[in-house]
Amino acid sequence: MQILDGRLVAQETRAELKRKIHRFFEQNKQKPGLAVVLVGNNPASKIYVRQKIKAAEEVGISSEVFSFSGDVPTHELERKIQNLNRDSSVHAILVQLPLPSAFSSREVVSWIDPKKDPDCLTVENQGLAWSSQPRVLPCTPSGVMKLFEYYNIPLQGKKAVVVGRSQIVGLPMAQLLLRANATVTICHSHTKELSLFTKEADIIVVAAGRPGLLGGSDFKKEADVVDVGIHRTTEQGKSVLSGDVRFKEIQDQVSFATPVPGGVGPMTVAMLLENTFHLACLNTGKTNNA
Ligand code: GUN
């Protein structure tokens, strides 16, 4: 089995982006700006936000986190996002999900100016993306597509199965695979006999959010497996990170697979940085080939 090394591909993507951002700064005397809005105390979200900020700073994107307690009044959150919409030094606004259950993520996302939405979560950006005129594409699925491209994995005519149908990963992943001419099946929590679908597939992207959902007997030998899940679990008394796929079971079996950690996660961050830069170029009227 060959590893789809997200750390490596993300590192190369960030190095290329850093060069472009350097040129952008020299020409415009302004850095691309990313604002991250974090609400509540979700420990995983705090870690992801820290990773995003660190990665942004490393490529020359200026970034700031705006943290709110889980009981912040809705109007206060809205006011902050509206202020960020008006702030010309901010080109991208990311609201870290999931939000505490008291908030409607649909409502909060609707406050973001679509021209500053690097996640492609606003209705306008989704409409543009799926009518083939994307402003940006969602970070995780476009990161997965970049991995396929880097490792020359052909998609045309392949049987692809996406497990999960979330707005941010499963659905857009299926759309991008379809656009690449794969024959796509979407499976989800109500799918009966999931492994009947996964065993038939050439390409499987698992984004179910269920630790160890699939293992060795669920894939055919030549399959390429991408694991979007990330979970903290305990193995022999030790705390470890693992995915939706039982990696040890498949590593001598399938053709290509992503590890967790070090697979899809770093690609999501790299694509967020690319989208932020792209929006900075659009919003300042500059090209992104600087
Ligand atoms: N939570 C987990 N992944 C993501 C992501 O890509 N974007 C946002 N906004 N929240 C997330």
Side-chain angles (χ1 to χ4, degrees):
M1 184 206 73
Q2 195 180 340
I3 295 267
L4 296 170
D5 187 346
R7 271 197 195 118
L8 171 78
V9 183
Q11 193 182 10
E12 290 187 12
T13 306
R14 291 198 312 263
E16 170 76 25
L17 189 59
K18 188 172 178 172
R19 280 191 288 276
K20 288 185 185 172
I21 291 176
H22 185 70
R23 291 282 304 274
F24 176 91
F25 180 70
E26 289 199 323
Q27 287 170 2
N28 304 298
K29 306 291 169 240
Q30 188 188 13
K31 286 183 170 187
L34 170 68
V36 178
V37 175
L38 178 63
V39 186
N41 259 323
N42 183 321
S45 289
K46 282 186 180 172
I47 294 170
Y48 296 146
V49 166
R50 218 177 299 139
Q51 287 170 347
K52 287 169 184 176
I53 296 295
K54 183 166 175 273
E57 295 294 338
E58 276 170 17
V59 296
I61 291 173
S62 106
S63 59
E64 195 169 352
V65 186
F66 299 92
S67 295
F68 294 89
S69 70
D71 59 3
V72 60
T74 312
H75 63 87
E76 207 174 297
L77 197 55
E78 180 174 10
R79 184 154 19 103
K80 181 75 231 177
I81 292 177
Q82 299 295 6
N83 284 341
L84 293 170
N85 284 340
R86 282 191 288 272
D87 183 339
S88 63
S89 70
V90 171
H91 305 106
I93 303 164
L94 178 141
V95 175
Q96 184 66 24
L97 301 175
L99 289 170
S101 58
F103 294 89
S104 151
S105 52
R106 191 180 301 235
E107 185 185 15
V108 174
V109 162
S110 77
W111 299 328
I112 302 171
D113 178 346
K115 292 193 178 69
K116 296 190 175 188
D117 163 30
D119 272 322
C120 193
L121 283 173
T122 55
V123 170
E124 179 176 314
N125 284 349
Q126 290 196 13
L128 287 170
W130 311 128
S131 58
S132 296
Q133 358 164 26
R135 182 179 274 140
V136 287
L137 289 169
C139 303
T140 299
S142 55
V144 173
M145 295 302 279
K146 194 147 191 149
L147 277 179
F148 288 141
E149 194 185 313
Y150 186 92
Y151 287 93
N152 292 315
I153 293 175
L155 302 172
Q156 181 152 312
K158 294 296 167 90
K159 282 187 202 164
V161 164
V162 178
V163 185
R165 53 176 165 179
S166 68
Q167 202 76 31
I168 197 165
V169 184
L171 279 181
M173 188 73 247
Q175 297 262 29
L176 293 182
L177 287 165
L178 190 59
R179 198 184 284 173
N181 296 326
T183 302
V184 184
T185 304
I186 305 179
C187 298
H188 47 78
S189 52
H190 293 274
T191 300
K192 294 196 171 71
E193 300 194 71
L194 176 61
S195 74
L196 289 186
F197 294 89
T198 56
K199 261 188 212 155
E200 283 288 309
D202 304 304
I203 292 171
I204 305 97
V205 180
V206 193
R210 289 179 52 190
L213 175 68
L214 296 169
S217 59
D218 297 312
F219 306 108
K220 70 178 181 185
K221 253 192 151 2
E222 312 76 31
D224 303 324
V225 181
V226 172
D227 188 351
V228 180
I230 183 153
H231 313 279
R232 189 162 284 287
T233 54
T234 310
E235 252 177 46
Q236 291 154 358
K238 269 195 196 156
S239 168
V240 291
L241 289 175
S242 59
D244 289 357
V245 175
R246 303 190 294 279
F247 188 74
K248 282 189 191 130
E249 288 181 24
I250 67 162
Q251 57 187 351
D252 298 322
Q253 190 191 319
V254 300
S255 181
F256 282 95
T258 56
V260 178
V264 175
M267 293 306 298
T268 300
V269 176
M271 294 301 107
L272 167 67
L273 306 178
E274 277 206 341
N275 283 354
T276 299
F277 177 55
H278 179 62
L279 293 177
C281 292
L282 287 181
N283 294 345
T284 52
K286 306 291 186 281
T287 68
N288 63 0
N289 298 314

